[in-house]
Amino acid sequence: MTERLYYHDSFLYDFDARVVDSLDRNGRPAIVLDRTAFYPTSGGQVHDLGMLLADGKQIAITEVADEEDGRILHFASEQIPAGTQIHGSVDAVRRRDHVQQHSGQHLISAAFIRLFNMPTVSFHMGEESCTIDLEAAGLSSAQTQKAEFLANEVIAEDRPVSIRFVPLEEARQLGLRKLPPQADRRSASDQYHGL
Ligand SMILES: [Zn+2]
């Protein structure tokens, strides 16, 4: 299981780690590290890009995927042997964009719940645009504007965003929109809609 450094610090872009496995996935080198700051595609957020520095050589990370067994695969331009110490660098501009879109989605989804009781059923983040699917019979532009206004009001208040790990029982009491599928692996705090 890969230690997920991004769970504790969303602004960590540089880290040191060790290669624990070098896999081949359909001809693509896939590197497993003991710890990583690279965010894999999950929860509607697309993966990070960046590079690994190994033995003085820069190796590009082209995709990051979350495995069922808790390991994170770093698809790379070339293989790095197991045991190698590496320095990882996450593309900070891309990550920052994703973080803002992700937090923004939670705010606007919460606004649609609070104002019109319209739950979000899915969220997709892309290079050019981001979409939120609402469960609703219809949606007027006046409603959209109201939700946007409320979300922007909360942003203007500059509320702190914090990371917390809580036991499943406590998570059930927090009024989360969604509980994690596997309580031992996922942070539930991310799903708290506390407008
Ligand atoms: Zn989230």
Side-chain angles (χ1 to χ4, degrees), residues 39 42-45 102-103 105-106 123 178 187-193:
Y39 190 88
S42 52
Q45 183 168 328
H102 192 144
S103 297
Q105 179 262 317
H106 280 290
F123 163 59
K178 203 164 84 184
S187 159
S189 55
D190 167 66
Q191 301 293 340
Y192 182 39
H193 289 176

